[in-house]
């Protein structure tokens, strides 16, 4: 059994990005520039955005944080998005979700210029991904595929079962895994799937992305399977400084001995999700994708 080290892989990719940025700067090009829009003071969102800004610093990107209070009027937020869309000094930006109830999230996503949508949530980027055109990929699915490629995991003809069909993980991952470069045969499972345990046990590659800690147990996993654990649920813990711990959707201790490869939580998919945003911003700066 081999543990897939997402933290180390993310570090390697960051070094690769840093080298590209250094080369751009040596060639008198400007640094890639990412902006993050943060509305309100949600603890999770504050943390995620702080990480994103820190990641930018690590790889030599310029970053800008745009903050609004919870009660920001919709027209002010949309005005700012418009301004960011027009800003020629800015390669890409994200609007951290979730947003307060009075703001229509889907409208926000669709108001971002697809060529600056480095989160890859705009329908144009989702559509381009579906038909296999170059696009800004949704962060977590791209991070997972990158791990699979870098660990040279065999995917052709393999049965990949993905538990979860959300727009940010399960569904886009199912598209990527079925593409010709990967060639897996994909089944997407969800809360209405029948005989889920038996289905999981048929998977050569099992992806758990449902948000239910310890859901996948040893009897649901085939001997030699590859298991990718996307779940990150905060559970209370008395022995950590923060008072919580992240739990995956896989019962690691009993599942790991049956696997050929497995991702841990934390340190598996999570760091790769963060690095995908950097990869997309670099693509945006290099104008690699024509919209
Ligand atoms: P989500 O939007 O809540 O979707 C969960 C999916 O799982 C839904 O499709 C749901 O089915 C399905 N599901 C829930 N309970 C199920 C059950 N008992 N049996 C079968 N299917 C079930 O969640 P998400 O945003 O995709 O996130 C999933 C997990 O990944 C969460 O723990 C989240 O924190 C984590 N996550 C981690 C990263 C990372 O970077 N590591 C990134 C994103 C998300 P229905 O569609 O039928 O409701």
């Amino acid at each position: 059994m081999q543990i897939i080290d997402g933290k180390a892989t993310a570090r390697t990719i960051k070094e690769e990005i840093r080298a590209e940025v250094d080369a751009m700067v040596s060639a008198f090009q400007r640094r890639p520039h990412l902006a993050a829009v943060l509305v309100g003071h949600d603890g999770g969102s504050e943390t995620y955005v702080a990480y994103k800004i820190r990641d930018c610093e690590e790889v030599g990107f310029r970053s800008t944080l745009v903050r609004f209070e919870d009660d920001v009027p919709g027209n002010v937020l949309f005005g700012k998005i418009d301004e960011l869309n027009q800003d020629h000094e800015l390669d890409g930006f994200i609007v951290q979700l979730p947003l307060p109830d009075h703001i229509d999230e889907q409208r926000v996503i669709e108001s971002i210029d697809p060529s600056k949508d480095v989160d890859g949530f705009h329908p144009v980027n989702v559509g381009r991904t579906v038909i296999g055109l170059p696009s800004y990929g949704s962060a977590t699915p791209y991070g997972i595929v990158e791990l699979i490629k870098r660990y040279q995991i065999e995917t052709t003809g393999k049965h990949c079962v993905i538990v979860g069909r959300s727009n940010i993980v399960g569904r886009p991952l199912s598209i990527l895994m079925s593409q010709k470069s990967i060639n897996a045969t994909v089944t997407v499972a969800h809360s209405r799937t029948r005989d889920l345990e038996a289905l999981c046990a048929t998977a050569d590659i099992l992806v758990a992305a449902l948000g239910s800690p310890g859901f996948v147990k040893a009897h649901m996993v085939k001997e030699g399977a590859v298991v990718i654990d996307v779940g990150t649920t905060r559970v209370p813990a008395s022995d950590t400084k923060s008072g919580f711990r992240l739990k995956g959707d896989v019962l690691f201790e009993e599942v790991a001995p049956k696997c050929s490869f497995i991702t841990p939580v934390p340190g598996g998919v999570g760091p790769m999700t963060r690095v995908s945003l950097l990869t997309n911003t670099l693509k945006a700066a290099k104008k690699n994708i024509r919209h």
Side-chain angles (χ1 to χ4, degrees):
M1 182 271 297
Q2 191 176 349
I3 292 185
I4 297 177
D5 189 341
K7 215 169 157 183
T9 310
R11 207 179 305 124
T12 304
I13 297 172
K14 277 188 193 171
E15 282 162 12
E16 293 165 4
I17 295 173
R18 172 93 224 185
E20 288 211 45
V21 173
D22 289 348
M24 288 168 86
V25 173
S26 302
F28 304 105
Q29 292 166 24
R30 66 167 174 73
R31 292 176 185 280
H33 180 195
L34 173 77
V37 179
L38 177 59
V39 180
H41 298 274
D42 173 77
S45 295
E46 294 258 7
T47 309
Y48 294 138
V49 168
Y51 282 153
K52 287 169 189 176
I53 300 285
R54 201 175 70 192
D55 288 342
C56 284
E57 279 164 19
E58 266 182 58
V59 297
F61 288 180
R62 183 178 156 201
S63 62
T64 302
L65 174 59
V66 181
R67 295 201 74 131
F68 291 107
E69 289 303 320
D70 272 313
D71 58 356
V72 61
N75 64 323
V76 173
L77 179 62
F78 284 105
K80 188 68 197 180
I81 291 173
D82 223 28
E83 201 181 294
L84 297 174
N85 281 337
Q86 312 289 339
D87 183 346
H88 296 300
E89 295 289 303
L90 183 69
D91 298 298
F93 66 100
I94 59 146
V95 178
Q96 184 66 42
L97 304 179
L99 290 168
D101 288 345
H102 70 284
I103 311 254
D104 179 346
E105 275 188 8
Q106 192 55 33
R107 213 186 126 204
V108 166
I109 290 170
E110 291 184 35
S111 67
I112 298 173
D113 180 337
S115 67
K116 289 195 171 176
D117 165 44
V118 286
D119 256 340
F121 291 159
H122 192 288
V124 166
N125 281 313
V126 177
R128 290 177 68 95
T129 302
V130 170
I131 57 174
L133 290 176
S135 62
Y136 299 126
S138 177
T140 305
Y142 267 82
I144 293 170
V145 166
E146 195 60 30
L147 277 180
I148 288 174
K149 285 184 182 161
R150 289 192 181 231
Y151 274 80
Q152 298 180 333
I153 291 171
E154 182 57 61
T155 51
T156 296
K158 301 289 182 187
H159 184 206
C160 174
V161 175
I162 301 170
V163 187
R165 58 177 163 184
S166 73
N167 286 343
I168 61 164
V169 187
R171 197 182 303 283
L173 181 63
S174 71
I175 301 292
L176 295 182
M177 292 301 289
S178 68
Q179 268 164 359
K180 283 205 168 170
S181 55
I182 302 208
N183 287 316
T185 304
V186 181
T187 305
V188 181
H190 44 78
S191 64
R192 310 294 169 91
T193 298
R194 264 191 256 150
D195 296 332
L196 181 60
E197 296 197 353
L199 175 69
C200 289
T202 67
D204 302 307
I205 302 169
L206 177 62
V207 182
L210 64 158
S212 175
F215 181 88
V216 175
K217 305 190 177 54
H219 70 277
M220 296 162 66
V221 177
K222 183 158 88 176
E223 202 66 52
V226 176
V227 173
I228 308 289
D229 189 353
V230 186
T232 44
T233 306
R234 285 179 177 203
V235 297
S238 54
D239 57 341
T240 64
K241 219 167 80 186
S242 59
F244 70 84
R245 161 176 292 120
L246 286 185
K247 278 271 186 197
D249 288 344
V250 176
L251 208 53
F252 186 89
E253 311 78 62
E254 65 171 64
V255 169
K258 293 185 82 175
C259 299
S260 52
F261 292 91
I262 185 166
T263 60
V265 175
V269 174
M272 294 300 290
T273 297
R274 277 170 59 186
V275 108
S276 296
L277 179 64
L278 300 175
T279 307
N280 280 345
T281 304
L282 184 64
K283 278 188 199 170
K286 292 169 80 180
K287 308 264 180 290
N288 277 356
I289 298 166
R290 305 242 165 263
H291 281 88

